[in-house]
Amino acid sequence: MSEVKSAKKKRKTNNKVLGNTFERKMAKSFSLWWAGDEISISRVSGSGARKHIAMYGGDLQPSSAKAEPFPFCIECKKQQRWSLNNLLLGLPGEPLFGFLGQCIEAARQAENNIPLLVCAANRQPPLVFFDTMTIHSYVPDFLKRFRAVFRFRIAHNQLPEGIRTKYHLTHLDQTLVPLQAFLTAFSRQDFQTEFVRRKRLQYPRRASKRS
């Protein structure tokens, strides 16, 4: 029994280390893309840091003014057990449902309200899931920028009940591309001006104070 517990604890520790390493790698990639350096976006170290900078949701956040405003709420997941096929089949135990729900809910509650889910497994390049209509509202011609994309829609009644209730999801309308293709197709200019405009409309008093 003790050996089983020890093995589980070791596996949990290894998964945590793997996840932290992946988050740091993704922070560097997004920082280079958004701010032109490797340090302006960093991983959130834990719940304390999340509370300290409550305006930002997700696993990554700006760590310098150079990266602000930062519109993306990014959840990073690296593990072996997720399956796109199981998601499309609507299997209730598929982790991707929880990953997507967590990412969408975090974006709803944060100022960086464009949800991105970045997933990878061992020996597999990272993939990014994004809400199709949200990205379309910023970049209407985004589909023309990719050689190939995979878009899927899961209706309300096809979502597992627990996920649907927990994250208040009405449906999923997602586009999936390799992360490198996403970072190549888009630039900071595609999002920043419109994101700032929307925030000014949402918080007019805050905008008037800054001006």
Side-chain angles (χ1 to χ4, degrees):
M1 182 65 73
S2 60
E3 292 180 359
V4 173
K5 288 183 178 180
S6 177
K8 287 183 178 179
K9 185 176 181 180
K10 183 178 180 180
R11 186 161 55 248
K12 185 176 180 179
T13 300
N14 290 341
N15 288 340
K16 185 175 181 180
V17 171
L18 186 68
N20 292 345
T21 301
F22 183 60
E23 288 175 6
R24 283 191 288 269
K25 184 177 179 180
M26 292 302 98
K28 184 182 295 186
S29 295
F30 277 98
S31 186
L32 283 167
W33 173 65
W34 190 256
D37 61 38
E38 297 184 353
I39 59 173
S40 290
I41 293 172
S42 59
R43 63 177 291 268
V44 177
S45 59
S47 58
R50 288 178 187 268
K51 293 177 182 177
H52 179 65
I53 310 180
M55 62 186 292
Y56 291 110
D59 293 323
L60 309 181
Q61 65 183 18
S63 52
S64 78
K66 190 176 179 181
E68 295 179 341
F70 187 63
F72 301 101
C73 181
I74 303 172
E75 291 287 340
C76 304
K77 305 292 182 183
K78 182 168 187 179
Q79 51 181 268
Q80 291 296 106
R81 61 191 185 94
W82 61 272
S83 164
L84 184 60
N85 286 338
N86 289 346
L87 179 81
L88 298 177
L89 290 171
L91 300 184
E94 171 50 45
L96 278 174
F97 281 117
F99 297 164
L100 286 166
Q102 178 186 357
C103 186
I104 293 168
E105 182 65 17
R108 284 190 190 126
Q109 299 178 17
E111 289 204 11
N112 52 330
N113 56 9
I114 302 178
L116 297 180
L117 172 65
V118 183
C119 286
N122 291 339
R123 296 178 295 279
Q124 175 192 299
L127 302 173
V128 60
F129 294 77
F130 57 83
D131 184 81
T132 304
M133 299 314 297
T134 298
I135 297 299
H136 179 269
S137 72
Y138 282 89
V139 188
D141 69 340
F142 81 88
L143 286 173
K144 297 178 181 178
R145 302 188 181 192
F146 297 96
R147 291 184 177 180
V149 300
F150 180 71
R151 180 181 178 183
F152 62 92
R153 181 181 174 89
I154 300 177
H156 183 267
N157 63 351
Q158 296 174 310
L159 292 168
E161 184 177 357
I163 295 296
R164 191 171 62 214
T165 302
K166 182 176 181 179
Y167 297 111
H168 311 289
L169 295 178
T170 57
H171 67 281
L172 287 173
D173 185 353
Q174 296 283 314
T175 297
L176 174 64
V177 297
L179 175 62
Q180 190 54 51
F182 179 94
L183 300 179
T184 301
F186 297 121
S187 69
R188 181 169 182 164
Q189 289 69 34
D190 287 320
F191 299 96
Q192 178 169 302
T193 301
E194 178 62 13
F195 179 74
V196 170
R197 185 190 73 82
R198 295 183 189 188
K199 286 303 173 184
R200 285 176 176 167
L201 292 174
Q202 186 177 1
Y203 304 109
R205 291 183 180 179
R206 185 187 303 176
S208 62
K209 286 181 180 179
R210 288 177 180 173
S211 60

